[in-house]
């Protein structure tokens, strides 16, 4: 809608010549806007998001699903003059596009821009997101249905442009480098040559390989897939097949010294590390970060799967908790196109919670839940009212897992400040009671019932080698289940037989499958939220999106509800699946609490 009179170049990327031919035909016009124009120079080929031509003056616009603050002076270039890491790949991408366009058309004067959501702009109408709907045709191709014809109808766009022409020039002149040992043009020529010849680049392996996307599980290898990760390390470091069964240095939790150790002393495996490498610094009454790292290293090398526990310290913490205990989990989303008038891009949307309780007798109830699956509705204030109504009947301790829930209620607090809700002061008082708020180490408030972070409790008092250093609930839960005979026995029975209350599962549902003596994660028993994708795939794919810090599966499902034309039956099935996912998140916290109670008794 920013450039309604543009022309779209349609076709498959592999048909280079046809796409370039269509583009060149439109470029004969003195003034033109083109979507996805194609350019080819030697063995280089690009497609640009938007091109605006006015004579020989060209605007190259790259559109990104990110946001920016126009008042941020160091958005792309830090105070010391280096490119900000989170933007580096995007800036080099535009520099490459600029280079190919310039070589194809030497007489052009090109300015480069990034177009993104502007955090300072507010939606001028309600339901902005509903004016652009995702739909599929009979050939299963995804398309966008626009329900407006002009940007005038929405008052003002929430998008904005940032001129990055000078940064692009600095990249091309060698001030900023992507491959440290090569300048821009050399990098382009070498990478293009390797791509054209389908040759492996053999870029040096490093500590950064921990996030390599070309790793394979044993199951994937059995299906014939190859591990690019293992190929690189075998060729460059001489690792054998047996070596890959040994834990590597970058698997250590939060191990910031690992990169330096790897580069300076080539310490690849945990067995290569010593206490001096970790520099252990004890902390009274809890497991310090360095102690936790060394515990992980020792247990992995010794193949010791026994739990490390500060038993008395954990028990002492648990003795401070007040019944009934409340376990809560939120599902949230951030959207580029705000739902409501006055809202800004990428504000937090809290659309669902689950809530379990345990009383002093040990009775477990799925006490309440909330979900808003109505398209176009801003749910946050209704969400916080429902949460208040279910948590304000007693003074019992409230639990979360990690920091997400605290961040969300803080965001809603701010949204309430800017609202005209009649009960906003009451709701803000409730938020202050159950949370804490800090800014630049300045404490604004710490509530009387400030939520207890079970993830933090795990870090301070408990280490289970089966987590392999991860503190994610998706790893802590199966590790606890596999380590606990109590949990195995209890949750291998139908929930109707163990007096477990549930709002979304029938009494015959069994939470645990035990195969080959090992518990299968209960999360693997849940229905798929997105056809053709597992929850792990969604989490890893969507985790890079702005504002997403608690996984991608529920966010993706909520996005389907908001933006995809669906019939009522499909919507209901998706709602049921979302409710099951969120219920398990709080039941998982209950199971971890039961595990703690078992091992401290």
């Amino acid at each position: 809608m920013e450039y309604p009179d543009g022309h779209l170049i349609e076709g498959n990327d592999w048909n280079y010549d046809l796409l370039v031919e269509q583009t060149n035909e439109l470029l004969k016009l003195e003034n033109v806007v083109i979507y996805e124009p194609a350019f080819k120079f030697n063995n280089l080929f690009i497609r640009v998001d938007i091109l605006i031509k006015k004579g020989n003056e060209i605007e190259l616009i790259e559109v990104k699903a990110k946001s920016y603050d126009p008042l941020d002076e160091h958005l792309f270039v830090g105070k010391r003059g280096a490119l900000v890491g989170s933007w580096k790949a995007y800036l080099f991408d535009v520099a490459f596009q600029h280079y190919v366009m310039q070589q194809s058309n030497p007489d052009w004067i090109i300015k480069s821009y990034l177009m993104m959501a502007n955090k300072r702009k507010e939606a001028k109408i309600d339901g902005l997101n509903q004016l652009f709907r995702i739909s599929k045709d009979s050939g299963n191709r995804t398309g966008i249905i626009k329900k407006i014809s002009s940007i005038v109808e929405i008052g003002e766009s929430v998008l904005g442009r940032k001129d990055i022409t000078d940064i692009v020039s600095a990249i091309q002149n060698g001030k900023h480098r992507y491959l440290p040992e090569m300048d821009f043009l050399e990098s382009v020529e070498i990478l293009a040559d390797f791509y054209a010849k389908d040759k492996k680049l053999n870029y040096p392996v490093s500590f950064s390989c921990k996030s390599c996307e070309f790793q394979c599980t044993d199951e994937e290898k059995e299906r014939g897939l190859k591990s690019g990760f293992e190929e690189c390390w075998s060729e460059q470091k001489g690792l054998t097949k047996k070596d890959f069964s040994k834990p590597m240095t970058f698997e250590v939790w939060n191990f910031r010294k690992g990169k330096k150790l790897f580069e300076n002393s080539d310490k690849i495996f945990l067995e290569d590390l010593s206490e001096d490498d970790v520099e252990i610094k004890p902390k009274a009454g809890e497991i310090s970060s360095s102690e936790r790292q060394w515990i992980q290293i020792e247990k992995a090398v010794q193949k010791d799967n026994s739990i490390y526990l500060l038993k008395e310290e954990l028990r002492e913490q648990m003795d401070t908790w007040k019944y009934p205990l409340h376990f809560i989990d939120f599902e949230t989303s951030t959207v580029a196109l705000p739902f409501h008038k006055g809202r800004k891009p990428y504000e937090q949307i809290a659309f669902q919670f689950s809530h379990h309780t345990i009383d002093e007798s040990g009775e477990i109830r799925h006490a309440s839940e909330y979900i808003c699956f109505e398209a176009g509705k801003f749910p946050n204030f209704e969400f916080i009212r429902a949460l208040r109504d279910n948590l304000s009947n007693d003074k019992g301790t409230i639990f979360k897992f990690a920091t997400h829930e605290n961040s969300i209620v803080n965001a809603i607090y701010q949204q309430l400040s800017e609202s005209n809700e009649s009960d906003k002061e009451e709701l803000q008082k409730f938020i202050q009671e159950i949370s804490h708020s800090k800014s630049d180490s300045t404490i604004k408030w710490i509530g009387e019932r400030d939520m207890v972070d079970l993830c933090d409790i795990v870090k301070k008092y408990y280490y289970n080698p089966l987590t392999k250093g991860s503190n994610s609930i998706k790893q802590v839960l199966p590790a606890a289940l596999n380590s606990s005979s109590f949990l195995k026995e209890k949750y291998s029975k139908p929930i109707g037989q163990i007096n477990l209350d549930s709002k979304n599962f029938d009494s015959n549902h069994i939470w645990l499958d035990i195969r080959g003596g090992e518990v299968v994660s209960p999360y693997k028993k849940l229905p798929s939220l997105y056809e053709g994708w597992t929850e792990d795939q969604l989490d890893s794919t969507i985790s890079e999106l702005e504002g997403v810090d608690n996984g991608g599966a529920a966010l993706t499902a909520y996005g389907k509800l908001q933006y995809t034309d669906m019939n009522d039956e499909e919507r209901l099935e998706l709602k049921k699946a979302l409710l099951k996912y969120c219920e398990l998140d709080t039941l998982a916290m209950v199971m971890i609490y039961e595990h703690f109670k078992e091992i401290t008794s």
Side-chain angles (χ1 to χ4, degrees):
M1 301 310 301
E2 296 280 339
Y3 307 101
D5 300 322
H7 304 268
L8 175 64
I9 303 297
E10 297 190 74
N12 295 313
D13 276 348
W14 52 265
N15 200 341
Y16 301 147
D17 293 335
L18 177 61
L19 296 171
V20 172
E21 183 182 329
Q22 292 179 49
T23 300
N24 288 339
E25 191 63 31
L26 286 170
L27 289 173
K28 292 177 182 178
L29 298 172
E30 182 70 9
N31 302 314
V32 67
V33 176
I34 310 175
Y35 311 136
E36 298 189 39
F39 297 89
K40 188 171 181 288
F41 172 70
N42 294 336
N43 61 344
L44 307 177
F45 176 81
I46 62 165
R47 296 191 73 173
V48 176
D49 285 342
I50 301 173
L51 179 144
I52 301 174
K53 177 178 183 288
K54 296 177 181 178
N56 72 333
E57 294 184 359
I58 307 297
E59 293 182 3
L60 183 173
I61 302 173
E62 175 76 0
V63 182
K64 289 298 177 189
K66 290 175 71 71
S67 68
Y68 75 102
D69 185 340
L71 302 182
D72 186 351
E73 297 179 0
H74 299 286
L75 179 64
F76 303 124
V77 181
K79 294 179 180 179
R80 297 182 180 181
L83 296 182
V84 175
S86 58
W87 290 98
K88 190 173 181 179
Y90 303 128
L91 297 169
F92 272 83
D93 180 16
V94 177
F96 175 64
Q97 293 180 40
H98 179 284
Y99 172 76
V100 176
M101 285 176 60
Q102 192 74 78
Q103 296 304 309
S104 305
N105 301 273
D107 60 328
W108 278 2
I109 301 170
I110 304 172
K111 297 199 74 173
S112 302
Y113 299 87
L114 281 176
M115 176 174 279
M116 304 159 288
N118 184 334
K119 284 185 175 181
R120 299 260 170 186
K121 288 189 175 182
E122 296 180 352
K124 302 300 181 184
I125 62 170
D126 287 328
L128 175 62
N129 66 309
Q130 291 301 301
L131 301 178
F132 306 89
R133 305 297 298 275
I134 298 173
S135 186
K136 289 188 176 182
D137 61 23
S138 57
N140 206 37
R141 287 180 59 85
T142 300
I144 301 294
I145 299 173
K146 295 182 293 186
K147 296 191 176 183
I148 57 172
S149 57
S150 168
I151 202 166
V152 176
E153 297 177 49
I154 63 173
E156 181 185 1
S157 170
V158 294
L159 302 180
R161 303 194 317 179
K162 287 289 289 184
D163 189 336
I164 57 170
T165 305
D166 290 343
I167 299 174
V168 165
S169 178
I171 289 172
Q172 293 177 347
N173 291 332
K175 182 177 180 180
H176 309 294
R177 298 190 173 198
Y178 205 83
L179 301 178
E181 64 277 10
M182 304 179 197
D183 63 24
F184 176 79
L185 184 56
E186 188 179 7
S187 299
V188 169
E189 291 174 346
I190 289 175
L191 293 171
D193 182 61
F194 272 79
Y195 180 81
K197 294 176 181 177
D198 197 22
K199 290 168 55 182
K200 187 188 297 184
L201 185 59
N202 281 331
Y203 192 73
V205 294
S206 69
F207 201 73
S208 300
C209 292
K210 64 181 179 180
S211 55
C212 176
E213 61 186 299
F214 301 108
Q215 299 187 58
C216 284
T217 63
D218 291 338
E219 184 182 349
E220 288 171 332
K221 291 174 189 174
E222 289 174 4
R223 299 204 312 263
L225 296 180
K226 293 183 178 180
S227 170
F229 174 86
E230 291 188 11
E231 281 189 13
C232 288
W233 284 77
S234 297
E235 293 168 3
Q236 296 185 37
K237 295 293 183 180
L239 269 57
T240 65
K241 186 175 181 180
K242 185 178 179 180
D243 286 330
F244 290 107
S245 65
K246 297 190 292 187
M248 303 179 82
T249 307
F250 47 61
E251 295 177 36
V252 181
W253 169 73
N254 200 30
F255 194 37
R256 297 176 184 176
K257 300 181 182 72
K259 183 175 185 290
K260 186 176 180 180
L261 286 168
F262 177 87
E263 291 173 350
N264 295 342
S265 55
D266 211 21
K267 293 194 173 185
I268 297 174
F269 300 105
L270 298 196
E271 63 187 28
D272 301 327
L273 298 174
S274 68
E275 291 187 56
D276 291 338
D277 293 325
V278 177
E279 297 179 17
I280 299 172
K281 297 176 183 178
K283 194 171 184 179
E286 62 185 70
I287 306 170
S288 70
S289 294
S290 55
E291 286 177 311
R292 190 175 189 82
Q293 291 163 355
W294 184 244
I295 291 166
Q296 179 185 350
I297 293 166
E298 272 197 315
K299 286 188 174 289
V301 171
Q302 296 170 8
K303 297 183 179 179
D304 173 9
N305 284 334
S306 64
I307 292 169
Y308 182 92
L309 179 69
L310 294 185
K311 185 174 180 178
E312 295 304 321
E313 290 83 351
L314 177 55
R315 181 189 290 152
E316 190 175 314
Q317 277 294 314
M318 295 176 70
D319 286 343
T320 67
W321 299 342
K322 298 177 183 178
Y323 289 101
L325 308 180
H326 300 266
F327 301 84
I328 60 171
D329 176 76
F330 299 170
E331 299 298 350
T332 62
S333 175
T334 58
V335 290
L337 297 180
F339 294 171
H340 269 212
K341 182 178 179 180
R343 303 260 68 91
K344 297 170 184 172
Y346 287 109
E347 283 196 73
Q348 288 285 359
I349 305 297
F351 64 86
Q352 182 180 8
F353 71 71
S354 175
H355 169 212
H356 270 83
T357 60
I358 302 179
D359 65 19
E360 201 157 3
S361 70
E363 182 183 358
I364 300 169
R365 292 184 58 242
H366 188 205
S368 64
E369 62 186 2
Y370 168 89
I371 187 169
C372 174
F373 72 112
E374 184 180 333
K377 183 175 181 179
F378 180 70
N380 287 20
F381 303 149
E382 184 181 279
F383 171 98
I384 202 68
R385 289 186 187 102
L387 189 67
R388 175 203 59 193
D389 292 345
N390 285 285
L391 293 179
S392 296
N393 298 317
D394 56 67
K395 294 294 183 179
T397 301
I398 305 168
F399 297 88
K400 59 185 179 180
F401 201 96
T403 60
H404 182 65
E405 280 68 28
N406 194 81
S407 299
I408 295 303
V409 295
N410 271 252
I412 296 176
Y413 184 96
Q414 184 59 38
Q415 291 168 340
L416 283 165
S417 297
E418 300 165 0
S419 77
N420 295 317
E421 299 297 304
S422 60
D423 58 347
K424 69 177 185 180
E425 290 184 4
E426 180 186 340
L427 294 174
Q428 287 180 314
K429 184 178 179 182
F430 165 71
I431 289 171
Q432 287 182 323
E433 181 186 354
I434 68 165
S435 67
H436 63 268
S437 181
K438 296 179 180 179
S439 177
D440 299 326
S441 74
T442 301
I443 297 175
K444 294 183 179 179
W445 71 75
I446 298 178
E448 178 188 350
R449 297 174 70 197
D450 188 16
M451 291 177 277
V452 173
D453 185 354
L454 270 183
C455 182
D456 192 48
I457 298 295
V458 168
K459 292 177 185 176
K460 287 181 176 178
Y461 309 112
Y462 172 92
Y463 179 72
N464 191 323
L466 298 179
T467 64
K468 296 183 178 179
S470 170
N471 296 307
S472 161
I473 196 168
K474 302 290 176 62
Q475 299 300 322
V476 174
L477 175 63
L481 291 170
N482 276 296
S483 301
S484 169
S485 55
F486 167 77
L487 293 178
K488 282 181 186 175
E489 181 180 355
K490 177 176 179 178
Y491 290 99
S492 295
K493 299 174 183 176
I495 61 178
Q497 292 182 21
I498 56 176
N499 197 29
L500 182 66
D501 184 53
S502 172
K503 294 186 178 298
N504 301 294
F505 299 90
D506 63 41
S507 60
N508 293 319
H509 183 77
I510 298 174
W511 274 115
L512 298 192
D513 280 343
I514 300 178
R515 301 175 192 170
E518 185 173 331
V519 174
V520 178
S521 172
Y523 283 95
K524 296 188 181 298
K525 300 191 71 172
L526 294 175
S528 174
L529 285 173
Y530 205 81
E531 186 178 353
W533 291 71
T534 66
E535 187 185 11
D536 288 343
Q537 288 172 324
L538 284 169
D539 284 353
S540 62
T541 301
I542 297 178
S543 62
E544 296 181 3
L545 293 181
E546 184 168 336
V548 180
D549 60 3
N550 67 326
L555 178 148
T556 307
Y558 185 66
K560 286 180 69 176
L561 288 170
Q562 293 298 316
Y563 297 105
T564 307
D565 289 327
M566 304 172 69
N567 61 44
D568 290 343
E569 185 177 346
E570 289 175 314
R571 293 174 65 81
L572 183 58
E573 286 303 309
L574 196 52
K575 177 187 176 184
K576 289 179 180 177
L578 277 167
L579 289 170
K580 289 181 177 180
Y581 265 84
C582 204
E583 177 175 342
L584 177 54
D585 281 335
T586 47
L587 180 60
M589 295 164 68
V590 168
M591 291 176 177
I592 292 168
Y593 166 78
E594 289 182 289
H595 178 47
F596 286 168
K597 193 167 183 181
E598 173 194 14
I599 60 179
T600 55
S601 296

